[in-house]
Amino acid sequence: HIMNTALVIYDLTGKVLAVYFGETEVPQGIPYMFVDIPESESVVSIDLSDPKNPKAILSGENKTDLTKIKEYSGHENAGNSGRI
């Protein structure tokens, strides 16, 4: 995997506003972080659940999480049907 370092600028909700490759000048007064991104992936959002340690959510990770959630909710719904 070729890794590309990107400057990711995001807002206080973790929404990615901009991704710059090859940028070294850091923005003033807005949240940002440098992220190593594998070539075939992109930054989906920034996980701010721990404000002191923001984490980039990459497209590859996001897909697996969504798949797990779908499978899990599928089992839950099957078990609860008819008991509403």
Side-chain angles (χ1 to χ4, degrees), residues 9-49:
I9 296 169
Y10 57 94
D11 68 11
L12 298 176
T13 68
K15 180 181 174 189
V16 173
L17 302 177
V19 179
Y20 298 107
F21 291 97
E23 184 67 55
T24 53
E25 197 176 310
V26 297
Q28 301 298 309
I30 53 175
Y32 71 90
M33 66 188 294
F34 285 98
V35 182
D36 287 326
I37 307 172
E39 200 167 63
S40 60
E41 295 188 24
S42 59
V43 180
V44 178
S45 63
I46 306 296
D47 177 1
L48 299 174
S49 52

Side-chain angles (χ1 to χ4, degrees), residues 57-71:
I57 309 294
L58 299 177
S59 56
E61 296 171 18
N62 203 29
K63 278 179 201 144
T64 38
D65 288 351
L66 283 174
T67 310
K68 280 180 202 155
I69 291 165
K70 274 183 193 149
E71 282 172 12

